[in-house]
Amino acid sequence: MREKLLDIIEELCGDDIVKEDPDIDLLEEGLIDSLDYIELLLKIEDAFGLKMSPSELTREEMATPNRIIEVVEKRLA
Amino acid sequence: MNILASIEKYADSQRERTAFKSRTGEITYGELWERSGRLASEIENRMRDNRDPVIVYGHKDPMMIVCFLACVRSGRAYCPVDINTPAERIAQIAETIGEPLVLTANRSSAGNGIDISELLQGSGQVIGYEEIQNLPEAGDSVTKLKPCTGDDVFYIIFTSGTTGRPKGVRITTDNLNGYLSWAVTLAGGIEKQSVFVNQAPYSFDLSVMDLYPCLAVGGTIVSVDSMLQKDNSELMEYLTGKGVNYWVSTPSFASICLAEDRFCAELMPELKGFLFCGEVLPCGTAHSLIKRFPEAKVINTYGPTESTVCVTEIEITEEMAAGSEPLPVGKPRPGTRIELDPETSEIIIIGDTVSPGYYKEPEKTAKVFFTADSENPGEGFGENSVSRAYRTGDRGRFDAGGNLCCDGRIDNQVKLHGYRIEIEDIESNLAGVPGVRRGAVAPRISDGKVESLTAFVIREDETITDDYAGRKSVRLALKEKMPSYMVPKRIIFVEDLPVTNNGKLDRNKLKEMA
């Protein structure tokens, strides 16, 4: 699951740094914008059948690839 | 200018002078005239009332030039087809002509294994390389030939459209001669008996920029074959001691050469000018050339195949090269007028070098060619003159100095998240980022929709590091120059950019790479 999610994030950000350094702050680094963020949630839904709406998540929770993985893992468990 | 008369004159006054050389051989003016006369008689004998254009198939062998001249001396247009052309495309060209005569201007052992006779499937005929070489003296029949003149089509070059069938651009004898009268004045005037470097394959009209101006001044063409173009160090060896005066190539090819440190004034001490056409000349390339060849002029030109090679020119100064992209392409030649479509800023070329249209394509011709008249036509036009005009599809504007600048294609536009984005716009900003030698941008397409943009960047040095920090710095630098929706999502560092057989940036390949 981790790999699959990292692939999705990499595809969205266009840079493999997200795999090399999964603690990188996506928004701060300009790797993701609000449009990409919505896209990310849609792709997570497609891939894992997990529906998440932007309002139920804080920016902090979804700031880095590792944190995104954590959130998705927790919700799928 | 009457190019055939000029060559004939040199064939007499400087018989033994080399007109053309490449790695497969060389030929003198005397021999060029003699052999092309023999072949012209043979063509006339075979074709008689058939005035169809003749396909000349080959690469960079001296026989290529013999064949070109033979066709036009027999009163027929030639259609150059390079050996690196895919078989399917050659078949399309042959089909368009009908039952063509094909002259094979390269040794059968060379080439990419395409059997022309097989390709023609019985419709048409072939004269082979050995046969051309062993033709008997023509005698009197040469004097009875009626060479191309005036509105007779001199050559037809099939342009490489991205989709559909290739279109044959017809260039008349008057078009070519009109172009040449001006072409020999470039770079302060082309001196007699100059040596020209040829890079472009003969199926690309950039080659006309070296071939005929060179022959018009009785000079020598040093032609670089495609294998040699892929081997920088071998190429430097080859150019050593050739006494090159003028360099004609795409900017992409010059930029490839610049990767070699030996590519500098010591290699070509007698170089007087670089003549560029065929694609945008990036500031960085111009700047490096000016630095490395302080004695040579860098001439930027502009024009589509449809108006005979090029119609504007400007000498690029160090100051311009240090300025912002894109470099201007200059002012029109006498006999050409440039107008901009008031709505789209499309560049319209009017004048005596505009083609009469595409070969056997009246509809496509009517779409982009028209007749323009004017009471105030400008230098080189008669009063109340009526001229051919061509819509280029290029977007242009005039800068403060009255020089034309090209801002890309009116159709090289992508739509990303609803925004209209000009690819060239991003590229010129990219080229202005410190540490970037060259960059190209391609859309990443999925399900026919542009999903994001990818920038391919050649780094100048370690100003930009080859890691995440480097990629980020390019993105941030671009963000300062343009709206963020235009900043390519992916930054990929590369050693070089893909080029087509013609030596232009290969945008289709880039799309695949994106």
Side-chain angles (χ1 to χ4, degrees), chain B residues 134-180:
Chain B
N134 297 318
L135 285 172
E137 272 183 46
D140 269 0
S141 61
V142 177
T143 56
K144 293 187 191 112
L145 295 170
K146 289 199 172 57
C148 288
T149 166
D151 289 336
D152 295 341
V153 178
F154 198 93
Y155 63 77
I156 297 179
I157 281 186
F158 280 83
T159 58
S160 48
T162 45
T163 51
R165 292 179 77 86
K167 292 175 292 189
V169 179
R170 295 181 294 160
I171 295 300
T172 68
T173 314
D174 277 350
N175 286 157
L176 179 64
N177 284 330
Y179 160 72
L180 287 173

Side-chain angles (χ1 to χ4, degrees), chain A residues 11-12 15 17 29-30 36, chain B residues 444 468 471-472 489-490:
Chain A
E11 175 68 27
L12 269 175
D15 202 308
I17 188 70
E29 292 289 309
D36 296 324
Chain B
R444 189 175 160 106
Y468 173 67
R471 298 195 290 272
K472 185 179 168 186
K489 182 150 247 181
R490 284 174 182 73

Side-chain angles (χ1 to χ4, degrees), chain B residues 87-322:
Chain B
E88 193 191 316
R89 207 179 160 78
I90 303 175
Q92 285 177 336
I93 293 171
E95 254 174 57
T96 307
I97 295 174
E99 298 191 337
L101 173 66
V102 181
L103 308 179
T104 312
N106 73 305
R107 289 169 218 272
S108 41
S109 55
N112 52 358
I114 293 173
D115 184 329
I116 289 291
S117 310
E118 210 170 278
L119 204 80
L120 292 177
Q121 293 180 318
S123 53
Q125 47 178 325
V126 177
I127 308 183
Y129 186 87
E130 285 74 23
E131 199 180 345
I132 294 172
Q133 209 161 30
N134 297 318
L135 285 172
E137 272 183 46
D140 269 0
S141 61
V142 177
T143 56
K144 293 187 191 112
L145 295 170
K146 289 199 172 57
C148 288
T149 166
D151 289 336
D152 295 341
V153 178
F154 198 93
Y155 63 77
I156 297 179
I157 281 186
F158 280 83
T159 58
S160 48
T162 45
T163 51
R165 292 179 77 86
K167 292 175 292 189
V169 179
R170 295 181 294 160
I171 295 300
T172 68
T173 314
D174 277 350
N175 286 157
L176 179 64
N177 284 330
Y179 160 72
L180 287 173
S181 302
W182 166 74
V184 295
T185 68
L186 291 179
I190 306 293
E191 286 172 34
K192 288 279 174 207
Q193 302 186 328
S194 290
V195 177
F196 277 69
V197 163
N198 155 265
Q199 166 256 324
Y202 286 97
S203 48
F204 176 17
D205 82 330
L206 173 58
S207 64
V208 172
M209 197 179 198
D210 47 78
L211 177 60
Y212 292 111
C214 182
L215 294 178
V217 299
T220 302
I221 293 140
V222 174
S223 186
V224 178
D225 60 78
S226 60
M227 292 300 284
L228 196 51
Q229 291 180 28
K230 293 191 178 90
D231 187 341
N232 252 358
S233 117
E234 188 73 29
L235 174 63
M236 298 304 132
E237 287 300 313
Y238 184 71
L239 291 174
T240 305
K242 288 283 190 296
V244 173
N245 304 121
Y246 298 98
W247 176 280
V248 183
S249 82
T250 57
S252 287
F253 184 64
S255 129
I256 291 169
C257 291
L258 280 167
E260 190 77 23
D261 291 336
R262 276 186 289 167
F263 191 69
C264 61
E266 283 78 55
L267 180 75
M268 298 184 286
E270 289 144 280
L271 194 74
K272 298 191 183 91
F274 290 93
L275 308 178
F276 289 117
C277 193
E279 60 177 357
V280 173
L281 173 62
C283 284
T285 304
H287 197 257
S288 303
L289 291 172
I290 291 168
K291 285 273 178 235
R292 292 209 205 167
F293 298 87
E295 302 297 318
K297 292 182 157 83
V298 173
I299 308 294
N300 196 17
T301 75
Y302 162 79
T305 307
E306 284 85 344
S307 68
T308 321
V309 191
C310 57
V311 290
T312 71
E313 63 105 5
I314 187 168
E315 182 184 344
I316 301 300
T317 62
E318 197 172 347
E319 202 184 347
M320 289 178 201

Side-chain angles (χ1 to χ4, degrees), chain B residues 423-449:
Chain B
I423 293 285
E424 288 94 342
D425 193 355
I426 307 173
E427 287 174 347
S428 57
N429 279 306
L430 191 55
V433 173
V436 171
R437 177 185 292 168
R438 246 201 111 180
V441 174
R444 189 175 160 106
I445 297 166
S446 133
D447 299 329
K449 197 175 133 263

Side-chain angles (χ1 to χ4, degrees), chain A residues 10-17 20 24 28-33 35-36 39 43, chain B residues 417 419 444 449 451-452 467-469 471-472 475-476 479 484-485 489-492:
Chain A
E10 187 196 6
E11 175 68 27
L12 269 175
C13 298
D15 202 308
D16 56 16
I17 188 70
E20 282 168 33
I24 194 164
E28 212 162 81
E29 292 289 309
L31 286 163
I32 203 166
D33 60 21
L35 213 66
D36 296 324
E39 182 110 16
K43 288 203 164 154
Chain B
H417 305 314
Y419 294 108
R444 189 175 160 106
K449 197 175 133 263
E451 206 183 51
S452 63
D467 56 10
Y468 173 67
R471 298 195 290 272
K472 185 179 168 186
R475 268 195 292 122
L476 291 182
K479 235 170 224 169
S484 58
Y485 63 81
K489 182 150 247 181
R490 284 174 182 73
I491 309 287
I492 299 177

Side-chain angles (χ1 to χ4, degrees), chain B residues 378-395:
Chain B
E379 192 190 351
F381 288 83
E383 253 177 75
N384 294 316
S385 70
V386 176
S387 303
R388 297 284 298 156
Y390 171 67
R391 293 189 161 273
T392 60
D394 297 324
R395 192 164 355 88

